[in-house]
Amino acid sequence: MKIRRPVLNSALAILTMLPVSALAQSGLPPADALEAPPATTQPVEAVEPAPSDVAVEADAATTQDEDIEETTRDERLVAAMLNLDGTVGLQHLAAAWGGEEGTYRIALLGQYSTGTDVIRFNDENTFFGGNLLFEASPINYFSLNAKLHTRSNINTFGRPEAMLSQGDFSLGVKGYYPVANGVTLGGDLGFFLPTNFGTTGLSFDGMSVRPRLLASFAFGEMSEGFDLNMHFNIGYKVDRSENTVPTGVVPTRIERFAYSISAYDALELGLGFEYELPYVTPFAEWNLSVPVNGADGVCDQANLPCVGDAGFASFPNVLALGVKVQPIENLGLHLGMDIGLTGDDAAALPATLPWQAVFGLQWTIDPRPKIEYVEKEVEKAGPTLAPESFVAGIVTDRESALPIEGAIVRYPMGNETAQVTDANGQFKSYGYAPGSTVRFSISHPDYEAIDVDRTLPQEVGEHELRVQMKASMVAGNVAGSIKDEQGAVIFGATITMTGPESKTAEADASGNFKVGVKAGQYSASASAPGYLTKARDVTVVAQKTADLSFVLKPEPKESLAELKGDKIEIMQTVQFETGKDTILSKSFSLLEQVTSVVASNPGIKQVLIGGHTDDVGSDDFNLELSQKRAEAVRQFLIDQGISPSKLVAKGFGETQPLLPNTSSRNRSNNRRVEFKVTDR
């Protein structure tokens, strides 16, 4: 519980006003005794405290009270969260205060509504809006915010039915100051840059400006235990969105709503309340926009009354209800609902939705260092162990630098039990006194044995030791044949082995080959002039022969895949069944050529197979479909002999379009599979 300074100061003031008799009964000296102590023959040390002493005590109490006043915020309460404009507030309303100094907020908020008879009689309308919001509070009492907005509206009477507005941008600045206990006043200024009518470019002619006054009241600071906040906004929006419409074009009611075009300025009023609870803050707000200063000819539209005739019932009027949640530190969730209270439509005003869901999340970035106090229980120390040092060893192949698994590590200078390296070629030695010398004798069936001496540093802990072993002459063989699809010999065919060592051998006149290499894991590729290259993974075991045969296909007349830089460019699109991840047979030849490109370039260590879709369908469906299609292509290449370790599949859904999804042609280009070389 906070002890507030005015209460303590009032108590001190009342104390100084008590009657002398009351002070005497309390054991304190009377006021006149403090001001004028009587003459006495006693030493000065026996005199009662002087008034200056009392003043010092009061100052100390005040200072102590100030320290008590500056208590930290309850961490369970929801942190400052952004509204749809990108500033701290409720859903549409702005709070007069902002985030804590030196903090930043980034949020994604979505808007969704659907229904019938929304913009005109008997229509079916679906609206979705997306908002990327950012706010910074670099110094106290000041904040900056930015917003990137995109909206999509589908109406059965629209021409076209789907209308997109992508890239609307706004900037804002807010200043505020607490003028009294629990009362904060402020103001903000917003600039709104819409896109051009039906296009994606920004329209500076259509830039709107809105100055606004803000007031917020924190009743919890006025009355302990009543954590209700009230916010009030009043502003004037100079709306120039009508300027985005080309000369001579009269926007329809559906277009006015889809592109948020108004021919009026607006006097904006808002009132809202929120109640702070642990982890949850429910809120309610009411917003009214009064159309004023309409453009010339706004009342000429047929079938719709003028705002002046329709009156208050046509004013944009919205009630918003919702909740803000903070399940974990810095993560905030927003869920709200707009309820349209507008009763009538009016000419030159965008329609007000009957309802709209608002949802999203926010992340608070707080780079300030945090101080944590940790209670530690000190136990009575037990016997002290002698400090020890350890060797953290890594055993690798000298040529390929690959780890050697199964190497035996012995300690010839002592009686320690031998150890074996793990799959990463690693081992950890026994503990030794700092500064001592340890000898390791390391052996492996396929490598020459090696002895290593290591003098440990004086510091305790682990110390790294890297050991490279030379492969012995013990080797294995790979044997097989390279022929075409009819079983005929292919002249000039070669086999290339890439692994612990690299070797290339030619097939003989019968199409057979045999090549000896060191034991280990290899990628083998078979190639011949005029044929597609094929690849296979093979494990070579010492003193054994691995069987490996290839069937090559002739190169097609048209080259459909080519390695250019860090990308495998394909001349056709990988085709799938509609809405599925099944590859159509017409794309098999294309993917076989992609396989040949990867197999012909053994230096390629990893290829990212990226799946992309257009915007038809939900985000989740498109993301899942693109992932499945990328995995289907990866499996096809694996079946063709490419090592699974070289292939990574990732679906991006509709998040990386090549072109705006505004036409069938653009959507067709956005549905694609890409191949990028990410490691060589």
Side-chain angles (χ1 to χ4, degrees), residues 466-608:
R466 290 186 173 270
V467 179
Q468 294 181 336
M469 300 187 71
K470 181 180 179 181
S472 64
M473 296 304 295
V474 178
N477 295 304
V478 177
S481 63
I482 305 175
K483 297 183 180 181
D484 65 14
E485 292 179 303
Q486 285 71 41
V489 175
I490 301 176
F491 295 99
T494 60
I495 177 76
T496 300
M497 305 293 297
T498 305
E501 63 175 329
S502 297
K503 279 191 177 181
T504 300
E506 292 188 5
D508 59 21
S510 300
N512 299 319
F513 65 86
K514 184 175 183 180
V515 57
V517 290
K518 299 176 184 177
Q521 295 290 329
Y522 286 84
S523 176
S525 60
S527 60
Y531 289 84
L532 295 176
T533 302
K534 296 293 289 290
R536 291 267 300 276
D537 286 347
V538 61
T539 300
V540 179
V541 180
Q543 300 178 347
K544 293 185 179 181
T545 299
D547 180 62
L548 193 62
S549 296
F550 294 91
V551 176
L552 303 186
K553 288 186 177 182
E555 287 183 344
K557 296 180 180 180
E558 181 182 6
S559 177
L560 301 178
E562 182 180 356
L563 179 63
K564 289 187 177 180
D566 291 335
K567 185 176 182 181
I568 300 175
E569 292 192 358
I570 55 177
M571 312 310 169
Q572 294 180 356
T573 301
V574 181
Q575 301 289 327
F576 298 87
E577 290 187 14
T578 303
K580 297 181 180 180
D581 59 346
T582 303
I583 303 172
L584 297 181
S585 59
K586 66 177 69 176
S587 292
F588 289 173
S589 178
L590 168 64
L591 293 179
E592 287 171 351
Q593 292 192 46
V594 174
T595 301
S596 180
V597 171
V598 178
S600 301
N601 293 272
I604 295 177
K605 290 187 177 181
Q606 192 169 86
V607 176
L608 174 63

Side-chain angles (χ1 to χ4, degrees), residues 23-40:
L23 290 174
Q25 292 176 2
S26 64
L28 296 174
D32 58 352
L34 293 176
E35 295 176 359
T40 176

Side-chain angles (χ1 to χ4, degrees), residues 85-422:
D85 281 342
T87 188
V88 171
L90 304 185
Q91 188 149 291
H92 302 276
L93 275 176
W97 50 65
E100 296 184 33
E101 180 182 5
T103 62
Y104 308 85
R105 283 149 295 284
I106 185 169
L108 289 170
L109 291 182
Q111 301 163 262
Y112 175 78
S113 179
T114 187
T116 58
D117 300 330
V118 176
I119 300 177
R120 55 175 294 176
F121 177 75
N122 207 30
D123 72 351
E124 294 182 8
N125 193 85
T126 300
F127 168 77
F128 178 80
N131 304 273
L132 175 60
L133 311 165
F134 177 79
E135 186 191 62
S137 301
I139 59 175
N140 211 359
Y141 310 129
F142 180 81
S143 66
L144 297 165
N145 63 80
K147 167 185 173 181
L148 186 63
H149 174 70
T150 180
R151 53 195 288 137
S152 170
N153 195 76
I154 301 174
N155 190 285
T156 50
F157 288 93
R159 297 294 181 269
E161 289 189 8
M163 298 183 185
L164 302 177
S165 176
Q166 302 182 39
D168 293 356
F169 185 72
S170 64
L171 288 171
V173 58
K174 180 166 71 174
Y176 49 93
Y177 192 80
V179 297
N181 191 29
V183 180
T184 302
L185 301 181
D188 68 1
L189 182 63
F191 300 89
F192 306 86
L193 275 168
T195 53
N196 283 300
F197 185 85
T199 66
T200 57
L202 291 176
S203 171
F204 287 88
D205 290 336
M207 185 177 72
S208 302
V209 181
R210 182 191 63 200
R212 187 167 54 175
L213 297 177
L214 316 172
S216 292
F217 305 85
F219 297 109
E221 296 184 17
M222 306 176 190
S223 176
E224 201 70 27
F226 186 63
D227 293 326
L228 178 70
N229 301 329
M230 182 178 76
H231 307 283
F232 176 73
N233 297 175
I234 180 170
Y236 186 92
K237 185 174 185 179
V238 181
D239 196 328
R240 302 177 62 199
S241 58
E242 187 80 3
N243 293 345
T244 62
V245 182
T247 303
V249 176
V250 178
T252 65
R253 297 165 64 185
I254 297 172
E255 289 172 335
R256 282 196 179 277
F257 174 78
Y259 301 120
S260 189
I261 300 173
S262 175
Y264 289 89
D265 292 346
L267 175 64
E268 298 182 349
L269 302 171
L271 179 66
F273 298 87
E274 61 178 346
Y275 196 89
E276 295 185 279
L277 296 169
Y279 309 114
V280 176
T281 297
F283 64 84
E285 63 174 90
W286 172 73
N287 298 275
L288 177 67
S289 180
V290 181
V292 295
N293 193 27
D296 294 336
V298 295
C299 296
D300 296 340
Q301 187 171 348
N303 302 324
L304 284 178
C306 188
V307 169
D309 298 327
F312 180 84
S314 65
F315 294 177
N317 189 356
V318 175
L319 174 67
L321 304 173
V323 63
K324 296 176 185 285
V325 184
Q326 183 173 302
I328 60 175
E329 186 180 10
N330 296 329
L331 175 64
L333 306 178
H334 181 115
L335 182 61
M337 175 73 73
D338 281 350
I339 302 172
L341 304 179
T342 303
D344 296 328
D345 289 340
L349 277 179
T352 301
L353 289 172
W355 68 271
Q356 174 183 240
V358 180
F359 50 89
L361 53 83
Q362 169 183 303
W363 184 258
T364 300
I365 304 171
D366 187 356
R368 301 172 301 173
K370 290 182 170 56
I371 300 176
E372 296 185 1
Y373 298 93
V374 180
E375 293 185 2
K376 294 184 66 176
E377 184 176 336
V378 180
E379 297 180 358
K380 185 177 180 180
T384 303
L385 299 177
E388 291 184 322
S389 293
F390 302 86
V391 171
I394 303 175
V395 182
T396 60
D397 182 279
R398 179 182 296 180
E399 300 296 330
S400 66
L402 294 173
I404 300 175
E405 181 181 5
I408 301 174
V409 182
R410 295 182 174 88
Y411 299 82
M413 297 175 62
N415 298 319
E416 295 89 343
T417 302
Q419 297 174 311
V420 179
T421 57
D422 61 17

Side-chain angles (χ1 to χ4, degrees), residues 602-667:
I604 295 177
K605 290 187 177 181
Q606 192 169 86
V607 176
L608 174 63
I609 304 170
H612 303 266
T613 69
D614 57 24
D615 66 341
V616 177
S618 68
D619 293 352
D620 291 342
F621 175 80
N622 286 335
L623 185 61
E624 182 180 2
L625 178 61
S626 65
Q627 181 66 38
K628 288 183 177 180
R629 286 182 170 178
E631 290 173 353
V633 172
R634 177 178 183 269
Q635 188 58 51
F636 186 97
L637 300 187
I638 292 172
D639 294 341
Q640 291 294 309
I642 302 300
S643 174
S645 63
K646 289 187 176 183
L647 304 174
V648 176
K650 182 173 178 58
F652 296 92
E654 58 186 84
T655 62
Q656 296 183 7
L658 295 175
L659 299 169
N661 287 294
T662 54
S663 67
S664 298
R665 182 181 183 86
N666 288 2
R667 289 188 175 93

